[in-house]
Amino acid sequence: MKFFIKTIAWIILLSLLLLSATSCGIDGKMDKAIETGLDILDAESEYNSNLKLFAGVEPLPDAGEPVTFNVFIRDPGAVPSKDNPVIRRIAELTGVTIEFEFLVGDLDQKVGVIIAGEDYPDAIFACEQRFIDAGAFIPLEDKLPKYKNLHDLYSPHYEKMTTYDGHQYIMELYLSNNPSPMFVNDGPGFYIQKAVLEEAGLVVPRTLDEYFDLIEQYMAKHPTIDGVRTIGFEILSDGWRDFCLRNPPQHLMGAGNDGDVFVDLNTYTASLYQVSDTAKNYYRKLNEEYNKGVIRADTFTQSYDQYISKLASGAVLGFFDQGWNILQAENILKSDKKYERMYVAVPIANPGVKDSYLDFRAGTITGNNGIGITKNCKNPDRLLAFYDWLLQREVQDFIQWGEEGKDWVRVGQTGRVLTSARRELNNDDGKKRDLTGITLWNYSPKMQGLYDDGMPCGPTDSEDEYVASLSDYDRRLLEMYGIKYPTQLLSEPVKRPAYYPVWSMPIVEGSAAALANSKMVHTCRKYYPRLILANPNDYDLLWDSFVAEIWKNDPQPYLDEVNRQIAEAMELE
């Protein structure tokens, strides 16, 4: 084995010597090792240490022919440092560099500009049906079976991946064929600050009235937090993230995260929850809270970054959002050791209705929440070979966990925990981005959940790591509630029907259904802030105007298309 590893290493060295220093990206320590003839496996350098992690993993055959692929990401973000050690090592063993372009500005406008000019990058992560309708992506159904790791990951889902024209375009990025326990809610929910629950005697609010009563009581006692004016409830309304404004009524009705409709699970028929009594009562409640000073008007004009900054200050007591959307704020609070100012999702629903926030994740995908390779891609097969290479277990371990002993240690037969140094690094978004492979992992096909032998794929899948990472505050809070994980405050995860979720259904751009949906969403965005900020005496009249405009714009073509696709999916179940 040692001879084999040395042979691989010397092959890489010889390839590097034939290339220019610029294209290779060799650092000074590596240059010195080459110049002095040191054995690559004995040289004491960070480069060599990380290279050892790939013992037994073959470099890609064309690793000596560097290529760069450009990938557009629908989310705002920052690119990793060019000196990122994990990404550099992977580039050296594959010859592939991924350059990420993160969203700047409005997503709808950006997508429109890209499509109009056919200025497609090599790959796109955007969850946008418009790219498929425009013919931007290449079909993958004949390609994926040629790559063993990709095929093993996606073959159970080929049917759900197939879109209306019979082709597969999207490689889902968030799926787990063998899920780990759900420790925290990374999906939708009404979140509340832990300090609010603690001061209220650890009660668990279950209705909207109970939820806001706790917030009002805490605000009255604590008008400021750490010198900052206390904010009772925030409503993110920035761009596509305005699901925080528009979606809560469906969850109050006991539905999962379907999007723009409520589906009756007895008849599997979709209707508009936007005009329901639940919606009317919800926005009336927000109107009452605004007039009490719990909600501030600037919540509707702030950017996502401003919203995250408010949450990270520890001065916001509650909001509706999705767990993945607030991770940045949570990590800042954790780094500042403000554990009591972090948030937990609580089971808010209409009186007598069971909450349904958690999805049972085994073997389920949305079908479109992933990455597509465009017709402008310079070498689709090489990009697919790269993604296939990344899915090797040794590579996934390197990206997600790091180096055994330095970054993580074993616990029992199948457990793993991070070292305190690596855990601290992971809690710092900037360091995690620049020193680990998190960005590459997040926006590439990946392993999630548990391997067949029970080993967790990554730290977020590890029960041992979850327990080890708990602060003393959180450990005590969970013990007082008598639960192991925060998700146990919610009802158990629900196995969803075959059609789910509606928001992932392909709606053809320019169709009557797409136009009807667009008009409905526009009307909601127009009226909801006005309803919340209105004089209470004007609320009913304004609500009637809202409902009249919804029906005037005729949402039926959208409902008909959704119901058609629901029926089709349920026939195949």
Side-chain angles (χ1 to χ4, degrees), residues 468-514:
S469 68
L470 286 173
S471 66
D472 290 339
Y473 175 88
D474 285 313
R475 200 180 308 275
R476 178 176 58 83
L477 197 66
L478 291 173
E479 288 175 355
M480 292 173 71
Y481 271 116
I483 57 178
K484 293 176 66 178
Y485 322 124
T487 49
Q488 292 174 317
L489 291 177
L490 305 170
S491 293
E492 64 278 1
V494 178
K495 183 174 175 54
R496 305 298 183 184
Y499 78 82
Y500 183 87
V502 169
W503 64 259
S504 71
M505 289 180 176
I507 306 295
V508 177
E509 179 74 10
S511 66

Side-chain angles (χ1 to χ4, degrees), residues 238-419:
D238 186 14
W240 61 270
R241 286 185 169 90
D242 71 345
F243 52 75
C244 302
L245 169 69
R246 298 190 294 112
N247 286 11
Q250 70 177 319
H251 298 287
L252 294 174
M253 296 166 72
N257 186 27
D258 257 323
D260 289 330
V261 297
F262 175 83
V263 179
D264 185 322
L265 296 183
N266 293 314
T267 63
Y268 290 108
T269 302
S271 62
L272 296 184
Y273 62 80
Q274 293 82 352
V275 295
S276 66
D277 288 343
T278 293
K280 182 177 182 180
N281 293 335
Y282 176 67
Y283 294 106
R284 187 193 299 277
K285 182 65 177 178
L286 296 188
N287 174 272
E288 292 173 1
E289 297 303 325
Y290 166 71
N291 283 286
K292 291 178 180 179
V294 174
I295 298 172
R296 288 158 50 172
D298 65 355
T299 194
F300 298 113
T301 57
Q302 68 189 345
S303 67
Y304 173 68
D305 288 342
Q306 290 171 323
Y307 167 77
I308 289 297
S309 180
K310 285 183 180 179
L311 266 55
S313 73
V316 177
L317 303 183
F319 51 86
F320 178 92
D321 205 336
Q322 300 213 25
W324 56 264
N325 201 37
I326 62 168
L327 280 178
Q328 186 179 351
E330 287 274 270
N331 284 339
I332 292 172
L333 290 167
K334 185 182 295 184
S335 295
D336 292 342
K337 301 189 186 307
K338 295 182 177 180
Y339 305 113
E340 77 283 3
R341 301 299 174 197
M342 295 175 69
Y343 302 95
V344 63
V346 286
I348 305 303
N350 285 342
V353 173
K354 184 179 180 180
D355 68 282
S356 180
Y357 290 101
L358 302 178
D359 295 343
F360 182 69
R361 295 181 292 193
T364 58
I365 66 169
T366 64
N368 71 351
N369 195 20
I371 195 164
I373 298 176
T374 76
K375 62 184 181 181
N376 288 359
C377 181
K378 57 182 69 69
N379 192 334
D381 287 305
R382 185 159 181 193
L383 182 55
L384 286 169
F386 172 72
Y387 286 144
D388 189 73
W389 188 91
L390 288 180
L391 285 171
Q392 296 176 93
R393 183 163 177 172
E394 296 86 350
V395 180
Q396 287 290 300
D397 281 352
F398 178 50
I399 294 174
Q400 298 200 55
W401 288 98
E403 182 180 353
E404 184 174 5
K406 174 186 174 184
D407 298 303
W408 64 273
V409 295
R410 295 180 183 272
V411 177
Q413 293 296 315
T414 60
R416 292 183 177 188
V417 296
L418 295 172
T419 61

Side-chain angles (χ1 to χ4, degrees), residues 106-158:
D106 181 73
L107 178 60
D108 286 341
Q109 182 178 10
K110 177 67 175 180
V111 171
V113 170
I114 292 175
I115 292 175
E118 294 196 345
D119 186 22
Y120 303 117
D122 295 290
I124 294 173
F125 171 58
C127 194
E128 276 283 345
Q129 179 65 29
R130 284 180 287 174
F131 285 120
I132 294 177
D133 296 338
F137 296 136
I138 64 170
L140 298 176
E141 64 271 11
D142 294 331
K143 291 184 176 294
L144 292 178
K146 299 176 182 178
Y147 300 94
K148 182 182 184 307
N149 297 322
L150 287 170
H151 177 69
D152 288 347
L153 180 64
Y154 291 118
S155 57
H157 310 288
Y158 280 161

Side-chain angles (χ1 to χ4, degrees), residues 521-543:
V521 170
H522 174 75
T523 302
C524 292
R525 288 171 171 166
K526 171 183 172 183
Y527 274 91
Y528 285 164
R530 293 171 59 187
L531 285 163
I532 295 168
L533 302 179
N535 184 309
N537 295 327
D538 298 332
Y539 184 88
D540 286 329
L541 185 60
L542 191 58
W543 177 263

Side-chain angles (χ1 to χ4, degrees), residues 438-455:
I438 183 62
T439 304
L440 181 63
W441 177 85
N442 198 29
Y443 298 111
S444 299
K446 63 182 70 67
M447 299 303 296
Q448 297 167 95
L450 303 175
Y451 290 109
D452 290 340
D453 61 8
M455 190 76 78

